[in-house]
Amino acid sequence: MKKAFVKSYGCQMNAYDAARMADVLTAEGYTPTEVVEEADVVVLNTCHIREKAADKVYSELGRLRVLKAARAEVGQDTTIVVAGCVAQAEGAEILARAPAVDVVVGPQNYHRLTDLLARSRVKRVVDTEFPVEDKFDHLPARRTQGVSAFLTVQEGCDKFCAFCVVPYTRGAEVSRSVAAIVAEATALVRGGVREITLIGQNVNAYHGHGADGASANLPVLLRALQDIPGILRLRYTTSHPNDMAADLIAAHGEIPALMPYLHLPVQSGSDRVLKAMNRKHDAETYRDIIARVRAVRPDVALSSDFIVGFPGETDAEFDETMRLVAEIGFASAYSFKYSPRPGTPAADWADPVPEDVKSRRLAALQGLLDDQRHAFNAAAVGTVVEVLVEKAGRHPGQVAGKTPHLLPVQFDAPTSTIGTLVPVRIVRAGSNSLFGEAVSDAAAAA
């Protein structure tokens, strides 16, 4: 029996793509395995956003080269596939640096994986051309596992931020049709999924064909999805401030299934840095969007992305970022030191920020963000929240799930509650999880 090992790096889009590649391999008779040493096919689905992510891939390929040689000595073949954004950006370099790799395939071409594996038996294969056909039309039915699932609705990016490789690795913005998304979501719900997170490089730029053939935006799509029987929760990520239109903001107060959580990257609080980044918005615009979202959904939990040490960033400009964070308050965030990505406009700019300065600024920013995260979590203690139960917990008799604010919760309850909403009183906030006790519906309403 053939076995396949699939490992994904980076964003939720990559997690979705990795799952779909596993579906392709399963349809071809491969059994999924989490033990790489027993895999006949190994797929690394790669991320190219930051330098360390790409370095991890080459380090992993070095280990796989040794594994492939060891398996060959006992007559076992191993086919190594590098997929995703590093594959798209560095296809030829991967073949040169990692001779054990058999297939390099970009994120728009993995629907051809079966054919590429067959061709690789003759010679090594690279497929990174942007195809004319829609890959989603050629993928097998999804295997549903779990209560929550990602669903890709939009790919690519037309924003061309100066630091970002996505437009070059994922291509231009393309949206799937409402009908195709609703069909996939319906199948997921029939398979037991109760929460769907819509994903895209700029998911709130979604503009797919609607039922009448006209262009439909994200609020229209969300309203169509909430009507699917059995769906309990909807989320979306990742968004760009320039696409937070008035009707999408209004949807946060009008669509009951849309959870009070918004991940909206700002990157910097300095207008000069934002302009240099080619973000096409300023800090005040971002503040205004947040105020409007909070006006319709006061309990919204906010998340964001930040880059420190962008070329030319001064101490005063970094202080503007710290002020923005202090003013807005975030429930969670992702923050990174700037690292140049080959092929992006900022990669060759002068005036780099010294590494020690980047480290000092990142530590200060993460300290403030961690304080805000801990405060947000602590504020949940004593409240009763609906938890969507996702799985068994770490200890016998325990289950785990998430609040509307995407906070993980553990509490005692039977596994029969998996896939349902349970009112839970939060009794303690840990460093990464909340802990609670199930309460009756009457107690929850009191």
Side-chain angles (χ1 to χ4, degrees), residues 7-11 14 44-64 82-91 93-94 97-98 101 165 169 336 339-343:
K7 182 175 182 178
S8 190
Y9 303 79
C11 67
N14 270 18
L44 302 184
N45 192 39
T46 60
C47 173
H48 204 253
I49 293 297
R50 286 173 296 280
E51 186 175 10
K52 285 185 179 180
D55 289 344
K56 286 181 181 178
V57 174
Y58 287 107
S59 178
E60 186 77 12
L61 288 174
R63 290 189 288 271
L64 288 176
V82 178
C85 292
V86 174
Q88 185 69 39
E90 303 182 14
E93 184 177 355
I94 291 170
R97 290 179 58 179
V101 172
V165 298
T169 59
F336 309 95
S339 62
R341 307 311 299 130

Side-chain angles (χ1 to χ4, degrees), residues 4 47 73 161 184 200 272-274 283 297 337 362 399 430 432 446:
C47 173
E73 288 180 359
C161 296
E184 185 171 339
R272 191 206 66 81
V273 172
L274 289 170
R297 195 68 200 250
K337 293 187 287 186
L362 183 63
V399 294
N432 296 306

Side-chain angles (χ1 to χ4, degrees), residues 142 144 146-151 153 178 181-198 220-236 255-259 386 388 419-421:
R142 286 186 69 175
T144 56
V147 174
S148 300
F150 294 124
L151 200 168
V153 303
V178 172
I181 295 165
V182 169
E184 185 171 339
T186 300
L188 289 171
V189 173
R190 287 174 180 164
V193 170
R194 296 293 174 260
E195 175 182 270
I196 292 177
T197 300
L198 309 181
V220 170
L221 176 61
L222 288 165
R223 294 180 196 281
L225 291 170
Q226 76 164 345
D227 292 334
I228 297 174
I231 202 161
L232 297 177
R233 290 179 171 180
L234 293 170
R235 305 181 189 273
Y236 65 90
I255 299 178
L258 182 57
M259 291 296 96
E386 279 195 325
L388 177 59
T420 68
L421 293 171

Side-chain angles (χ1 to χ4, degrees), residues 147-397:
V147 174
S148 300
F150 294 124
L151 200 168
T152 292
V153 303
Q154 178 272 343
E155 289 191 288
C157 182
D158 295 342
K159 299 298 188 288
F160 288 93
C161 296
F163 54 82
C164 186
V165 298
V166 167
Y168 312 102
T169 59
R170 289 276 184 173
E173 290 180 359
V174 177
S175 297
R176 301 174 66 189
S177 71
V178 172
I181 295 165
V182 169
E184 185 171 339
T186 300
L188 289 171
V189 173
R190 287 174 180 164
V193 170
R194 296 293 174 260
E195 175 182 270
I196 292 177
T197 300
L198 309 181
I199 56 175
Q201 267 77 39
N202 281 317
V203 70
N204 60 340
Y206 173 83
H207 279 89
H209 290 299
D212 58 358
S215 179
N217 61 11
L218 187 59
V220 170
L221 176 61
L222 288 165
R223 294 180 196 281
L225 291 170
Q226 76 164 345
D227 292 334
I228 297 174
I231 202 161
L232 297 177
R233 290 179 171 180
L234 293 170
R235 305 181 189 273
Y236 65 90
T237 192
T238 289
S239 300
H240 193 286
N242 289 7
D243 295 309
M244 285 300 298
D247 56 352
L248 179 55
I249 292 174
H252 279 267
E254 297 169 353
I255 299 178
L258 182 57
M259 291 296 96
Y261 180 91
L262 175 63
H263 181 71
L264 189 64
V266 63
Q267 306 299 356
S268 173
S270 162
D271 287 348
R272 191 206 66 81
V273 172
L274 289 170
K275 185 175 181 179
M277 288 178 168
N278 197 34
R279 289 288 291 171
K280 302 183 178 72
H281 66 83
D282 57 22
E284 194 56 39
T285 298
Y286 188 86
R287 289 183 174 93
D288 178 65
I289 291 169
I290 297 304
R292 291 161 60 200
V293 172
R294 280 177 164 159
V296 300
R297 195 68 200 250
D299 63 334
V300 68
L302 299 172
S303 176
S304 195
D305 293 347
F306 297 91
I307 295 174
V308 304
F310 192 73
E313 183 190 61
T314 65
D315 286 340
E317 289 166 342
F318 171 70
D319 288 342
E320 291 181 71
T321 297
M322 294 290 281
R323 280 196 295 273
L324 181 141
V325 172
E327 290 171 20
I328 290 179
F330 293 92
S332 62
Y334 302 93
S335 52
F336 309 95
K337 293 187 287 186
Y338 170 75
S339 62
R341 307 311 299 130
T344 60
D348 300 318
W349 286 359
D351 202 14
V353 176
E355 198 64 28
D356 63 327
V357 175
K358 288 185 191 177
S359 297
R360 184 171 67 248
R361 290 176 185 172
L362 183 63
L365 176 60
Q366 290 183 337
L368 176 56
L369 290 168
D370 281 346
D371 288 345
Q372 292 184 347
R373 177 173 61 87
H374 291 310
F376 187 88
N377 292 356
V381 175
T383 66
V384 176
V385 296
E386 279 195 325
V387 174
L388 177 59
V389 184
E390 296 180 336
K391 59 185 179 181
R394 297 178 182 176
H395 306 292

